[in-house]
Amino acid sequence: MKLRLLAGVSALVAVAGLSACSSGSDDTESAGGGKTAIDVWLMRDSVSAAFQKDFEKGFEADHPDIDVRIQIQEWDGIGEKVTAALASNDAPDVIETGNTQVAQFAQSGGLLDLSDKVAELGGKDWLKGLAEPGAYEGKQYGIPYYAANRVVIYRKDLFAQAGVDATAIKTRDQWIAATKKLNKGSQQGIYLPGQNWYTYAGFVWDEGGDLAVESGGTWKGALDSPQALRATAFYKRLQALGKGPKDSDEAQPPQAEVMAKGKVAQVISTPGGANVVAQNNPALKGKLGFFPIPGKTADTPGAVFTGGSDLVIPTVARHQDAAFTFVKELTGDTWQRKLAAAMSYVPNKTTLAGAVAADPGASAMAVGAAVGHATPNTPGWAAVEAKNPIKDYLTAVLTGGDPEKEGVKASDVITSAMKSGS
């Protein structure tokens, strides 16, 4: 799964209503037999070849008048490719897009407003971290597809040696106490790189804050808010219980490789990180477990950044009725359960969390996803990630900078970036 944002989407075609666009749009193509052929772009690793085959077979059996043509797209360069498609007269009928990308495409008028379809699609149960970024200015353009988020990956053997029961860790205070017990000698209680800003964002949301806030149509950075400062204090305490670098993120060096090489009791990662650890150190196979990031209180898990995808229909799509049928099926309960089992993703509805109950990593994700968030829902946020002042802010604080002063500086950069990127 890639968690990406796009920069600079040019002005595209104006939005048209579903009924207005579709009245003559489902003309048959060369699929044969009077079928309507629809083109669908799904992203690499969104589905396996086996799932794709099963879905196409099942969908076309239930909808014999529609021929589905799925094309797997690569993440690299997809922003420019989608932008060009939306501006053309030959766009695919359905496109998978990162959940945080929807606002930029919607702002430019390239996506179909599906607000009147939310109830039909079971929108009341959607994960907020997928549904909220799929909306823009009060209208729903992106339909939640699947989610993935960070959990704690831990060494079962090291926890047992320290007498720590991972299942009993439900609160931040319990997490800190357990990590202190695990942090001894050459063993790191946790490996937390200083610039792991997605994890930090979760702590900000736990405190009731956000990375940026909107007031009167203007977005401003909010790392100097009381809520963000409380989150910073907790992040600093947790990060100090290991030897993670203060000036780099989880990719430099790859934290899974660090965990594989040494006595690291915990990392914060998507569950797939455990596979990388075991690949680098086969002796750890079967010794890794998962639990949700703890919250401030035992009754609410820690907030997480919800990554994943939404499905959108371009305004210029020629077969919007058939496209909606495809979206309804793939995001419906039956195929969501099958997708979760096949791909270890979190289904798009809180009511479907049981679909991953047998998968330790995915079930831990599902707990966090129920209270997940996305980055500020504004097209200007892409410019913030390009500059990434949050990483610089965390490094500054972890190396002795005053949190409030550094927070003001970082917030100013965020504000300026959002203005330039809108």
Coordinates of all heavy atoms in Angstrom, one line a residue, residues 319-410:
H319 N -19.6 5.6 -19.0 CA -20.6 4.6 -18.6 C -20.8 4.7 -17.1 O -20.5 3.8 -16.3 CB -20.1 3.2 -18.9 CG -19.7 3.0 -20.4 ND1 -20.6 3.2 -21.4 CD2 -18.5 2.8 -20.9 CE1 -19.9 3.0 -22.6 NE2 -18.6 2.8 -22.3
Q320 N -21.4 5.8 -16.6 CA -21.4 6.0 -15.2 C -22.4 5.1 -14.5 O -22.1 4.8 -13.3 CB -21.8 7.5 -15.0 CG -20.7 8.4 -15.5 CD -21.1 9.9 -15.4 OE1 -22.2 10.2 -15.1 NE2 -20.2 10.8 -15.8
D321 N -23.5 4.7 -15.1 CA -24.4 3.8 -14.4 C -23.7 2.4 -14.1 O -23.7 1.9 -13.0 CB -25.6 3.5 -15.2 CG -26.6 4.7 -15.2 OD1 -26.4 5.6 -14.3 OD2 -27.4 4.8 -16.1
A322 N -23.0 1.9 -15.2 CA -22.3 0.7 -15.0 C -21.1 0.8 -14.0 O -20.8 -0.1 -13.3 CB -21.8 0.2 -16.4
A323 N -20.5 2.0 -14.1 CA -19.4 2.3 -13.2 C -19.8 2.2 -11.7 O -19.2 1.7 -10.8 CB -18.7 3.6 -13.5
F324 N -21.0 2.8 -11.5 CA -21.5 2.8 -10.1 C -21.9 1.4 -9.7 O -21.6 1.1 -8.5 CB -22.8 3.7 -10.0 CG -23.4 3.7 -8.6 CD1 -22.8 4.3 -7.6 CD2 -24.6 3.0 -8.4 CE1 -23.4 4.2 -6.3 CE2 -25.2 2.9 -7.2 CZ -24.5 3.5 -6.1
T325 N -22.4 0.6 -10.6 CA -22.7 -0.8 -10.2 C -21.4 -1.5 -9.8 O -21.4 -2.3 -8.8 CB -23.3 -1.5 -11.4 OG1 -24.5 -0.9 -11.8 CG2 -23.6 -3.0 -11.1
F326 N -20.3 -1.3 -10.5 CA -19.0 -1.8 -10.2 C -18.6 -1.4 -8.8 O -18.2 -2.2 -7.9 CB -18.0 -1.4 -11.2 CG -16.6 -1.9 -10.9 CD1 -16.1 -3.1 -11.4 CD2 -15.7 -1.1 -10.1 CE1 -14.8 -3.5 -11.1 CE2 -14.5 -1.6 -9.8 CZ -14.0 -2.8 -10.2
V327 N -18.7 -0.1 -8.5 CA -18.2 0.5 -7.2 C -19.1 -0.1 -6.1 O -18.6 -0.5 -5.0 CB -18.4 2.0 -7.2 CG1 -18.2 2.6 -5.8 CG2 -17.3 2.6 -8.2
K328 N -20.4 -0.2 -6.3 CA -21.3 -0.7 -5.3 C -20.9 -2.2 -5.0 O -21.0 -2.6 -3.8 CB -22.7 -0.7 -5.8 CG -23.8 -1.1 -4.8 CD -25.2 -0.9 -5.3 CE -26.2 -1.4 -4.3 NZ -27.6 -1.2 -4.8
E329 N -20.6 -3.0 -6.0 CA -20.3 -4.4 -5.7 C -18.9 -4.5 -5.0 O -18.8 -5.2 -4.0 CB -20.2 -5.2 -7.0 CG -21.5 -5.4 -7.7 CD -22.3 -6.5 -6.9 OE1 -21.8 -7.2 -6.1 OE2 -23.5 -6.6 -7.3
L330 N -17.9 -3.8 -5.5 CA -16.6 -4.0 -4.9 C -16.5 -3.4 -3.5 O -15.7 -3.9 -2.6 CB -15.5 -3.3 -5.8 CG -14.0 -3.6 -5.4 CD1 -13.7 -5.1 -5.3 CD2 -13.1 -3.0 -6.5
T331 N -17.3 -2.4 -3.2 CA -17.3 -1.8 -1.8 C -18.4 -2.4 -1.0 O -18.6 -1.9 0.2 CB -17.4 -0.3 -1.9 OG1 -18.7 0.1 -2.5 CG2 -16.3 0.3 -2.7
G332 N -19.2 -3.3 -1.5 CA -20.2 -3.9 -0.7 C -19.7 -5.0 0.2 O -18.6 -5.5 0.1
D333 N -20.6 -5.4 1.1 CA -20.2 -6.3 2.2 C -19.6 -7.6 1.7 O -18.6 -8.1 2.3 CB -21.3 -6.6 3.1 CG -21.8 -5.4 3.9 OD1 -21.2 -4.3 3.7 OD2 -22.7 -5.5 4.8
T334 N -20.2 -8.2 0.7 CA -19.7 -9.5 0.3 C -18.3 -9.5 -0.2 O -17.4 -10.3 0.3 CB -20.6 -10.1 -0.8 OG1 -21.9 -10.2 -0.3 CG2 -20.1 -11.4 -1.4
W335 N -18.0 -8.6 -1.1 CA -16.6 -8.5 -1.7 C -15.6 -7.9 -0.7 O -14.4 -8.2 -0.8 CB -16.7 -7.9 -3.1 CG -17.2 -8.8 -4.1 CD1 -18.5 -8.7 -4.6 CD2 -16.6 -10.0 -4.6 NE1 -18.7 -9.7 -5.5 CE2 -17.6 -10.5 -5.5 CE3 -15.4 -10.6 -4.5 CZ2 -17.3 -11.7 -6.3 CZ3 -15.1 -11.7 -5.2 CH2 -16.1 -12.3 -6.1
Q336 N -16.1 -7.0 0.2 CA -15.2 -6.5 1.2 C -14.7 -7.6 2.1 O -13.5 -7.6 2.5 CB -15.9 -5.4 2.0 CG -16.0 -4.0 1.3 CD -14.7 -3.4 1.1 OE1 -14.0 -3.0 2.1 NE2 -14.2 -3.2 -0.1
R337 N -15.5 -8.5 2.5 CA -15.1 -9.6 3.4 C -14.1 -10.4 2.6 O -13.0 -10.8 3.2 CB -16.3 -10.4 3.8 CG -17.2 -9.8 4.8 CD -18.2 -10.8 5.3 NE -19.1 -10.2 6.3 CZ -20.3 -9.7 6.0 NH1 -20.8 -9.8 4.8 NH2 -21.1 -9.2 7.0
K338 N -14.3 -10.7 1.4 CA -13.4 -11.5 0.6 C -12.1 -10.8 0.3 O -11.0 -11.4 0.4 CB -14.0 -11.9 -0.8 CG -15.2 -12.8 -0.6 CD -15.8 -13.2 -2.0 CE -17.0 -14.1 -1.8 NZ -17.6 -14.5 -3.1
L339 N -12.1 -9.5 0.1 CA -10.9 -8.7 -0.1 C -10.1 -8.7 1.2 O -8.9 -8.8 1.1 CB -11.3 -7.3 -0.5 CG -10.1 -6.3 -0.8 CD1 -9.3 -6.8 -2.0 CD2 -10.6 -4.9 -0.9
A340 N -10.7 -8.5 2.3 CA -10.0 -8.5 3.6 C -9.3 -9.8 3.8 O -8.1 -9.8 4.3 CB -11.0 -8.2 4.7
A341 N -10.0 -10.9 3.5 CA -9.4 -12.2 3.8 C -8.2 -12.4 2.8 O -7.2 -13.0 3.2 CB -10.4 -13.3 3.6
A342 N -8.4 -12.0 1.6 CA -7.3 -12.2 0.5 C -6.1 -11.3 0.7 O -5.0 -11.8 0.5 CB -7.9 -12.0 -0.8
M343 N -6.3 -10.1 1.1 CA -5.2 -9.1 1.1 C -4.8 -8.6 2.5 O -3.9 -7.8 2.6 CB -5.7 -7.9 0.3 CG -6.1 -8.2 -1.2 SD -4.8 -9.0 -2.1 CE -3.6 -7.7 -2.2
S344 N -5.5 -9.1 3.6 CA -5.2 -8.6 4.9 C -5.4 -7.1 5.1 O -4.6 -6.4 5.8 CB -3.8 -9.0 5.4 OG -3.7 -10.4 5.4
Y345 N -6.4 -6.6 4.4 CA -6.7 -5.2 4.5 C -7.9 -5.0 5.5 O -8.6 -6.0 5.8 CB -7.2 -4.6 3.2 CG -6.1 -4.4 2.2 CD1 -6.4 -4.6 0.8 CD2 -4.8 -4.1 2.5 CE1 -5.4 -4.5 -0.2 CE2 -3.8 -4.0 1.6 CZ -4.1 -4.2 0.2 OH -3.1 -4.0 -0.7
V346 N -8.1 -3.8 6.0 CA -9.2 -3.5 6.9 C -10.4 -3.2 6.0 O -10.3 -2.3 5.1 CB -9.0 -2.4 7.8 CG1 -10.2 -2.1 8.7 CG2 -7.8 -2.7 8.7
P347 N -11.6 -3.8 6.1 CA -12.7 -3.5 5.3 C -13.2 -2.1 5.5 O -12.8 -1.4 6.5 CB -13.8 -4.5 5.8 CG -13.1 -5.6 6.4 CD -11.8 -4.9 7.0
N348 N -14.0 -1.6 4.6 CA -14.3 -0.1 4.6 C -15.4 0.3 5.6 O -15.6 1.4 5.8 CB -14.8 0.3 3.2 CG -16.0 -0.4 2.7 OD1 -16.6 -1.3 3.4 ND2 -16.4 -0.2 1.5
K349 N -16.0 -0.7 6.3 CA -17.0 -0.4 7.3 C -16.6 -0.9 8.7 O -16.0 -2.0 8.8 CB -18.3 -1.0 6.9 CG -18.9 -0.5 5.6 CD -20.3 -1.1 5.4 CE -20.9 -0.7 4.1 NZ -20.3 -1.4 2.9
T350 N -17.0 -0.2 9.7 CA -16.7 -0.7 11.1 C -17.4 -2.0 11.4 O -17.0 -2.8 12.2 CB -17.1 0.4 12.1 OG1 -18.5 0.7 11.9 CG2 -16.3 1.7 11.9
T351 N -18.6 -2.2 10.7 CA -19.4 -3.4 11.0 C -18.8 -4.6 10.4 O -19.3 -5.7 10.6 CB -20.8 -3.2 10.4 OG1 -20.7 -2.7 9.0 CG2 -21.6 -2.1 11.1
L352 N -17.7 -4.5 9.6 CA -17.1 -5.6 8.9 C -15.8 -6.0 9.6 O -15.0 -6.8 9.0 CB -16.9 -5.3 7.4 CG -18.1 -5.1 6.6 CD1 -17.7 -4.7 5.2 CD2 -19.0 -6.3 6.6
A353 N -15.5 -5.4 10.7 CA -14.2 -5.7 11.4 C -14.0 -7.2 11.6 O -12.8 -7.7 11.6 CB -14.0 -4.9 12.7
G354 N -15.1 -7.9 11.9 CA -15.0 -9.3 12.2 C -14.4 -10.1 11.0 O -14.0 -11.3 11.2
A355 N -14.4 -9.6 9.8 CA -13.9 -10.3 8.6 C -12.4 -10.6 8.8 O -11.9 -11.5 8.1 CB -14.1 -9.5 7.4
V356 N -11.7 -9.9 9.6 CA -10.2 -10.1 9.8 C -9.9 -10.6 11.2 O -8.7 -10.6 11.6 CB -9.4 -8.8 9.5 CG1 -9.5 -8.4 8.0 CG2 -9.9 -7.6 10.4
A357 N -10.9 -11.2 11.9 CA -10.7 -11.6 13.2 C -9.6 -12.7 13.3 O -8.9 -12.8 14.3 CB -12.0 -12.1 13.8
A358 N -9.5 -13.5 12.3 CA -8.5 -14.6 12.3 C -7.1 -14.2 11.9 O -6.2 -15.0 11.9 CB -9.0 -15.7 11.4
D359 N -6.9 -12.9 11.5 CA -5.7 -12.4 11.1 C -5.1 -11.4 12.1 O -5.7 -10.3 12.3 CB -5.9 -11.6 9.7 CG -4.6 -11.1 9.1 OD1 -3.6 -10.8 9.9 OD2 -4.5 -11.1 7.9
P360 N -4.1 -11.8 12.9 CA -3.7 -11.0 14.1 C -3.3 -9.6 13.7 O -3.6 -8.6 14.4 CB -2.5 -11.8 14.6 CG -2.7 -13.2 14.2 CD -3.4 -13.1 12.8
G361 N -2.5 -9.4 12.6 CA -2.1 -8.1 12.2 C -3.3 -7.2 11.7 O -3.4 -6.1 12.1
A362 N -4.1 -7.8 10.8 CA -5.2 -7.0 10.3 C -6.3 -6.7 11.4 O -6.9 -5.6 11.4 CB -5.9 -7.8 9.2
S363 N -6.5 -7.7 12.3 CA -7.4 -7.4 13.4 C -6.9 -6.3 14.3 O -7.7 -5.5 14.8 CB -7.7 -8.6 14.2 OG -6.6 -9.2 14.8
A364 N -5.6 -6.2 14.5 CA -5.1 -5.1 15.3 C -5.3 -3.8 14.6 O -5.6 -2.7 15.2 CB -3.6 -5.3 15.6
M365 N -5.1 -3.8 13.2 CA -5.3 -2.6 12.4 C -6.8 -2.2 12.5 O -7.1 -1.0 12.7 CB -5.0 -2.9 11.0 CG -3.5 -2.8 10.6 SD -3.3 -2.6 8.8 CE -4.0 -4.0 8.1
A366 N -7.7 -3.1 12.5 CA -9.1 -2.8 12.5 C -9.5 -2.0 13.8 O -10.4 -1.2 13.7 CB -9.9 -4.1 12.3
V367 N -8.9 -2.4 14.9 CA -9.2 -1.7 16.1 C -8.9 -0.2 16.0 O -9.6 0.7 16.4 CB -8.5 -2.3 17.3 CG1 -8.6 -1.5 18.6 CG2 -8.9 -3.8 17.5
G368 N -7.7 0.1 15.5 CA -7.2 1.5 15.3 C -8.0 2.2 14.2 O -8.4 3.3 14.4
A369 N -8.3 1.4 13.2 CA -9.0 2.1 12.0 C -10.4 2.6 12.4 O -10.9 3.6 11.9 CB -9.2 1.1 10.9
A370 N -11.0 2.0 13.5 CA -12.3 2.4 13.9 C -12.3 3.9 14.4 O -13.3 4.6 14.5 CB -12.9 1.5 15.0
V371 N -11.1 4.3 14.9 CA -11.0 5.7 15.4 C -9.9 6.4 14.5 O -9.2 7.3 15.0 CB -10.6 5.8 16.9 CG1 -11.8 5.3 17.7 CG2 -9.4 4.9 17.2
G372 N -9.7 6.0 13.3 CA -8.7 6.6 12.5 C -9.0 7.9 11.9 O -10.2 8.3 11.8
H373 N -8.0 8.6 11.4 CA -8.1 9.9 10.8 C -7.3 10.0 9.5 O -6.5 9.1 9.3 CB -7.6 11.1 11.7 CG -8.4 11.2 13.0 ND1 -9.2 12.3 13.2 CD2 -8.4 10.4 14.1 CE1 -9.8 12.2 14.4 NE2 -9.3 11.0 15.0
A374 N -7.5 11.0 8.8 CA -6.7 11.3 7.6 C -6.1 12.7 7.8 O -6.5 13.4 8.8 CB -7.5 11.3 6.3
T375 N -5.1 13.1 7.0 CA -4.5 14.4 7.1 C -5.5 15.5 6.8 O -6.6 15.1 6.2 CB -3.3 14.5 6.2 OG1 -3.7 14.0 4.9 CG2 -2.1 13.6 6.7
P376 N -5.3 16.7 7.1 CA -6.3 17.8 6.9 C -6.8 17.7 5.4 O -6.1 17.6 4.5 CB -5.5 19.0 7.1 CG -4.5 18.6 8.2 CD -4.1 17.2 7.8
N377 N -8.1 17.8 5.4 CA -8.8 17.6 4.1 C -8.9 18.8 3.3 O -9.9 19.5 3.2 CB -10.2 17.0 4.3 CG -10.9 16.5 3.0 OD1 -10.2 16.3 2.1 ND2 -12.2 16.4 3.1
T378 N -7.8 19.2 2.7 CA -7.7 20.4 1.9 C -6.7 20.1 0.7 O -5.7 19.5 1.0 CB -7.2 21.6 2.7 OG1 -6.9 22.7 1.8 CG2 -6.0 21.3 3.5
P379 N -6.9 20.6 -0.5 CA -6.0 20.4 -1.6 C -4.6 20.9 -1.3 O -3.6 20.4 -1.8 CB -6.6 21.1 -2.7 CG -8.1 21.1 -2.4 CD -8.2 21.2 -0.9
G380 N -4.5 21.9 -0.4 CA -3.2 22.5 -0.1 C -2.3 21.6 0.7 O -1.1 22.0 0.8
W381 N -2.8 20.5 1.3 CA -2.0 19.7 2.1 C -0.8 19.1 1.4 O 0.2 18.8 2.0 CB -2.8 18.7 2.9 CG -2.0 17.9 3.9 CD1 -1.5 16.7 3.8 CD2 -1.5 18.4 5.1 NE1 -0.8 16.3 4.9 CE2 -0.8 17.4 5.7 CE3 -1.7 19.6 5.8 CZ2 -0.2 17.6 7.0 CZ3 -1.1 19.8 7.0 CH2 -0.3 18.8 7.6
A382 N -1.0 18.8 0.1 CA 0.1 18.2 -0.6 C 1.3 19.0 -0.6 O 2.4 18.4 -0.5 CB -0.4 18.0 -2.1
A383 N 1.2 20.3 -0.6 CA 2.4 21.2 -0.5 C 3.1 21.1 0.8 O 4.3 21.2 1.0 CB 2.0 22.6 -0.8
V384 N 2.3 20.8 1.9 CA 2.9 20.6 3.2 C 3.8 19.4 3.2 O 4.9 19.4 3.7 CB 1.8 20.5 4.3 CG1 2.4 20.2 5.6 CG2 0.9 21.7 4.3
E385 N 3.3 18.3 2.7 CA 4.0 17.0 2.7 C 5.3 17.2 1.8 O 6.3 16.5 2.1 CB 3.2 15.8 2.2 CG 2.1 15.4 3.2 CD 1.9 14.0 3.2 OE1 2.7 13.2 2.7 OE2 0.9 13.6 3.8
A386 N 5.2 18.0 0.8 CA 6.4 18.2 0.0 C 7.5 18.9 0.8 O 8.7 18.5 0.6 CB 6.1 19.1 -1.2
K387 N 7.1 19.8 1.6 CA 8.1 20.5 2.5 C 8.4 19.7 3.8 O 9.5 19.7 4.3 CB 7.6 21.9 2.9 CG 7.5 22.9 1.8 CD 7.0 24.2 2.3 CE 6.9 25.2 1.2 NZ 8.3 25.7 0.7
N388 N 7.4 19.0 4.3 CA 7.4 18.2 5.5 C 8.0 18.9 6.7 O 9.0 18.4 7.3 CB 8.2 16.9 5.2 CG 7.4 15.7 5.9 OD1 6.9 15.9 6.9 ND2 7.4 14.6 5.2
P389 N 7.5 20.1 7.1 CA 8.0 20.7 8.3 C 7.7 20.0 9.6 O 8.3 20.3 10.6 CB 7.2 22.1 8.2 CG 5.9 21.8 7.5 CD 6.4 20.8 6.5
I390 N 6.8 19.0 9.5 CA 6.5 18.3 10.8 C 7.7 17.4 11.1 O 8.1 17.3 12.3 CB 5.3 17.4 10.6 CG1 4.1 18.2 10.1 CG2 4.9 16.6 11.9 CD1 2.9 17.4 9.7
K391 N 8.4 16.8 10.1 CA 9.6 16.1 10.4 C 10.7 17.0 11.0 O 11.3 16.6 12.0 CB 10.1 15.4 9.1 CG 9.3 14.3 8.6 CD 10.0 13.6 7.4 CE 9.3 12.4 7.0 NZ 10.0 11.7 5.9
D392 N 10.9 18.2 10.4 CA 11.9 19.1 11.0 C 11.5 19.5 12.4 O 12.4 19.7 13.2 CB 12.0 20.3 10.0 CG 12.5 19.9 8.7 OD1 13.2 18.9 8.5 OD2 12.2 20.7 7.7
Y393 N 10.2 19.7 12.6 CA 9.8 20.1 13.9 C 10.1 19.1 15.0 O 10.7 19.4 16.1 CB 8.3 20.4 13.9 CG 7.6 20.4 15.3 CD1 7.8 21.5 16.1 CD2 6.8 19.4 15.7 CE1 7.2 21.5 17.4 CE2 6.2 19.4 17.0 CZ 6.4 20.5 17.8 OH 5.8 20.5 19.0
L394 N 9.8 17.8 14.7 CA 10.1 16.7 15.6 C 11.6 16.6 15.9 O 12.0 16.5 17.1 CB 9.6 15.4 15.1 CG 8.0 15.3 15.0 CD1 7.6 14.1 14.3 CD2 7.4 15.3 16.4
T395 N 12.4 16.7 14.9 CA 13.9 16.7 15.1 C 14.3 17.8 16.0 O 15.1 17.6 16.9 CB 14.6 16.7 13.8 OG1 14.3 15.5 13.0 CG2 16.1 16.8 14.0
A396 N 13.8 19.0 15.7 CA 14.2 20.2 16.5 C 13.9 20.0 18.0 O 14.7 20.3 18.9 CB 13.5 21.4 16.0
V397 N 12.7 19.5 18.3 CA 12.3 19.3 19.7 C 13.1 18.2 20.3 O 13.5 18.3 21.5 CB 10.8 18.9 19.7 CG1 10.3 18.5 21.1 CG2 9.9 20.2 19.3
L398 N 13.3 17.1 19.6 CA 14.0 15.9 20.2 C 15.5 16.2 20.4 O 16.1 15.6 21.2 CB 13.9 14.7 19.3 CG 12.5 14.1 19.2 CD1 12.5 13.0 18.1 CD2 12.0 13.6 20.5
T399 N 16.0 17.3 19.8 CA 17.4 17.6 20.0 C 17.5 18.9 20.9 O 18.6 19.5 20.9 CB 18.1 17.9 18.6 OG1 17.3 18.8 17.9 CG2 18.2 16.6 17.8
G400 N 16.5 19.2 21.6 CA 16.6 20.2 22.6 C 15.9 21.5 22.4 O 15.9 22.4 23.2
G401 N 15.2 21.6 21.2 CA 14.5 22.9 20.9 C 13.2 23.0 21.8 O 12.7 22.1 22.3
D402 N 12.8 24.3 22.0 CA 11.6 24.6 22.8 C 10.4 24.2 22.0 O 10.2 24.7 20.9 CB 11.6 26.1 23.1 CG 10.3 26.4 23.9 OD1 10.3 26.1 25.1 OD2 9.4 26.9 23.3
P403 N 9.6 23.3 22.5 CA 8.4 22.8 21.7 C 7.5 23.9 21.2 O 7.0 23.9 20.1 CB 7.7 21.8 22.7 CG 8.8 21.4 23.6 CD 9.7 22.6 23.8
E404 N 7.2 24.9 22.1 CA 6.3 25.9 21.7 C 6.8 26.8 20.6 O 6.2 27.1 19.6 CB 5.9 26.7 22.9 CG 4.7 27.7 22.6 CD 4.1 28.3 23.8 OE1 4.6 28.0 25.0 OE2 3.2 29.1 23.7
K405 N 8.1 27.2 20.8 CA 8.7 28.1 19.8 C 8.9 27.4 18.4 O 8.6 27.9 17.4 CB 10.1 28.6 20.3 CG 10.0 29.6 21.4 CD 11.4 30.0 21.9 CE 11.3 31.0 23.0 NZ 12.7 31.4 23.5
E406 N 9.3 26.1 18.5 CA 9.5 25.3 17.3 C 8.1 25.1 16.7 O 8.0 25.0 15.4 CB 10.2 24.0 17.6 CG 11.6 24.2 18.1 CD 12.5 24.8 17.0 OE1 12.2 24.8 15.8 OE2 13.6 25.3 17.4
G407 N 7.1 24.9 17.5 CA 5.7 24.7 17.0 C 5.2 25.9 16.2 O 4.5 25.7 15.2
V408 N 5.5 27.1 16.7 CA 5.1 28.3 16.0 C 5.8 28.4 14.7 O 5.1 28.7 13.6 CB 5.4 29.5 16.9 CG1 5.2 30.8 16.1 CG2 4.5 29.6 18.1
K409 N 7.1 28.1 14.6 CA 7.8 28.1 13.4 C 7.3 27.1 12.4 O 7.0 27.4 11.2 CB 9.3 27.9 13.7 CG 10.0 29.0 14.3 CD 11.3 28.6 14.9 CE 12.3 28.0 13.9 NZ 13.6 27.6 14.5
A410 N 7.0 25.9 12.8 CA 6.5 24.9 11.9 C 5.1 25.2 11.5 O 4.8 24.9 10.3 CB 6.6 23.5 12.7

